[in-house]
């Protein structure tokens, strides 16, 4: 009986030790206060296994594993951020200063095209212990309109998700 009790206690102890194991730390960390020099360059698909884990592709959600991104100097404190996905038919250039705000690991830029179309890009900036730079985010095409028959304001958002690493 003592032998059986000892075995049960050992099994219980082993289960507690295993269940208390900390999850593995992510290889990637935000770069808070990144500079334009940190992000300038060309980027290709990251091949990170969970890059699009929570997303489902559809009419308004495009997973762009073929995304090509280039970021080049544009003017003082500004960049040209070019997002292209041939498979999704998306090709847009953003120019200006990446927004730095309370979330200073984010790049946020936008372009207004006429009164009915707007383009935006949002990307989190990461690095790893090897010094690689990774951008994870999406470009968005927003189309505004009015359904005069039903007196409704319309807004369609097409999202083009990317996860890329600097070459």
């Amino acid at each position: 009986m003592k032998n059986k009790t000892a075995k049960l206690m050992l099994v219980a102890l082993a289960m507690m030790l295993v269940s208390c194991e900390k999850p593995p730390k992510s290889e990637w960390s935000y770069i808070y206060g990144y500079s334009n020099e940190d992000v300038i360059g060309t980027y290709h698909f990251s091949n990170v296994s969970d890059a699009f884990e929570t997303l489902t592709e559809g009419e308004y959600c495009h997973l762009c594993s073929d995304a090509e991104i280039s970021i080049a100097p544009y003017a003082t404190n500004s960049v040209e951020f070019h997002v292209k996905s041939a498979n999704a038919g998306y090709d847009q250039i953003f120019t200006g200063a990446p927004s730095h705000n309370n979330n200073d690991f984010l790049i946020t830029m936008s372009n207004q095209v006429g009164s009915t179309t707007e383009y935006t890009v949002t990307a989190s900036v990461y690095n790893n212990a090897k010094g690689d730079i990774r951008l994870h985010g999406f470009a968005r095409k927003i189309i505004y309109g009015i359904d005069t028959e039903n007196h409704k304001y319309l807004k369609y958002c097409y999202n083009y998700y990317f996860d890329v690493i600097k070459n």
Side-chain angles (χ1 to χ4, degrees):
M1 184 76 160
K2 286 184 182 182
N3 196 10
K4 195 174 193 180
T5 304
K7 284 181 184 179
L8 283 174
M9 289 178 62
L10 278 174
V11 169
L13 180 61
M15 287 177 60
M16 282 182 15
L17 290 174
V18 170
S19 66
C20 292
E21 183 179 329
K22 291 181 182 178
K25 187 177 178 194
S26 173
E27 172 186 2
W28 298 96
S29 302
Y30 289 128
I31 301 178
Y32 290 94
Y34 68 87
S35 69
N36 288 353
E37 289 73 31
D38 290 329
V39 296
I40 288 172
T42 57
Y43 294 78
H44 65 280
F45 185 57
S46 68
N47 288 312
V48 171
S49 62
D50 62 350
F52 303 127
E53 181 177 64
T54 61
L55 301 170
T56 302
E57 190 142 29
E59 181 181 357
Y60 300 105
C61 179
H62 303 275
L63 309 181
C64 302
S65 59
D66 71 325
E68 299 173 15
I69 293 181
S70 63
I71 303 175
Y74 182 71
T76 305
N77 297 323
S78 296
V79 297
E80 177 182 275
F81 190 115
H82 186 188
V83 181
K84 182 178 180 181
S85 171
N87 290 344
Y90 188 87
D91 190 348
Q92 187 64 36
I93 296 174
F94 301 88
T95 55
S99 294
H100 286 278
N101 50 41
N102 290 340
N103 297 322
D104 63 351
F105 58 87
L106 284 177
I107 294 174
T108 56
M109 300 175 79
S110 64
N111 293 340
Q112 185 74 35
V113 180
S115 62
T116 61
T117 307
E118 180 181 2
Y119 294 90
T120 64
V121 65
T122 302
S124 297
V125 182
Y126 297 93
N127 69 352
N128 62 12
K130 295 186 289 186
D132 297 324
I133 304 291
R134 175 180 168 205
L135 303 178
H136 176 80
F138 63 95
R140 175 177 282 169
K141 179 180 181 181
I142 306 167
I143 300 175
Y144 302 97
I146 298 176
D147 178 351
T148 54
E149 186 176 311
N150 296 309
H151 307 289
K152 291 183 179 179
Y153 176 76
L154 305 173
K155 180 179 177 182
Y156 300 99
C157 297
Y158 300 90
N159 296 316
Y160 302 86
Y161 291 89
F162 55 83
D163 197 282
V164 293
I165 293 180
K166 190 175 183 179
N167 295 336

